[in-house]
Amino acid sequence: MRIMNQLRLSCALFVAIFAPADTWAQTIEWQWTSLYRPGRSEFNVINGVTDRVQVGYVRGNADSEPIASLWRGTADSWTDLRPPNQFTSFAYGAGGDQQVGEVSNVGAALWRGSAESLVSLGPGVAYGTDGFTQVGVANGLHAVLWQGSQESKV
């Protein structure tokens, strides 16, 4: 606790000494967009963003299965990434034109904007992508790297 208080004091002193005088007069303005869809989903969770898309999951209510989801900046742009005949799905990351996550009975998942584009990366969970390479975990907590297919797993 003593170290944290010293750290806070040090940071405050640094800002007070080195910040330009007009910094204190500036106000911060926040802009936000609601992706909530009244009457359609009770819970919306965003797990990953790029400059163009947001990914996560929605639930109709606390007891319903999560649905991997993609938004393009508005609530009305919501896209269901869950493949047909699947129930539980999550989207965790996005990069380039790719989205990644997990789907029950599929494992690690790679999408390109639609449920139909689903590629199974095999057992595991994909947490991130840069648009070319996907990263995640498999077989417990073993780090995994894919490049668009199960066969590319390293």
Side-chain angles (χ1 to χ4, degrees), residues 22-34:
D22 62 346
T23 300
W24 302 107
Q26 294 177 359
T27 58
I28 298 174
E29 292 186 32
W30 293 93
Q31 294 182 10
W32 59 278
T33 299
S34 174

Side-chain angles (χ1 to χ4, degrees), residues 3-142:
I3 293 172
M4 289 303 293
N5 287 336
Q6 289 174 346
L7 180 60
R8 287 183 190 132
L9 179 59
S10 297
C11 291
L13 288 174
F14 177 82
V15 169
I17 294 169
F18 296 104
D22 62 346
T23 300
W24 302 107
Q26 294 177 359
T27 58
I28 298 174
E29 292 186 32
W30 293 93
Q31 294 182 10
W32 59 278
T33 299
S34 174
L35 299 177
Y36 177 64
R37 302 166 341 132
R40 296 186 193 158
S41 58
E42 187 65 28
F43 302 98
N44 295 346
V45 176
I46 303 298
N47 291 320
V49 298
T50 70
D51 59 341
R52 295 178 290 145
V53 302
Q54 303 78 41
V55 297
Y57 65 92
V58 300
R59 287 182 177 212
N61 60 54
D63 297 323
S64 63
E65 297 291 332
I67 300 170
S69 300
L70 168 71
W71 294 266
R72 291 178 173 85
T74 67
D76 290 337
S77 69
W78 177 76
T79 302
D80 182 346
L81 294 176
R82 177 186 51 184
N85 304 316
Q86 296 295 326
F87 297 104
T88 302
S89 58
F90 299 89
Y92 293 120
D97 70 341
Q98 298 182 349
Q99 301 84 44
V100 295
E102 67 177 314
V103 175
S104 61
N105 301 322
V106 170
L110 168 64
W111 295 275
R112 286 186 171 84
S114 69
E116 298 76 30
S117 68
L118 174 68
V119 173
S120 172
L121 299 174
V125 180
Y127 287 109
T129 180
D130 63 0
F132 303 101
T133 302
Q134 304 80 44
V135 296
V137 296
N139 302 328
L141 294 177
H142 298 284

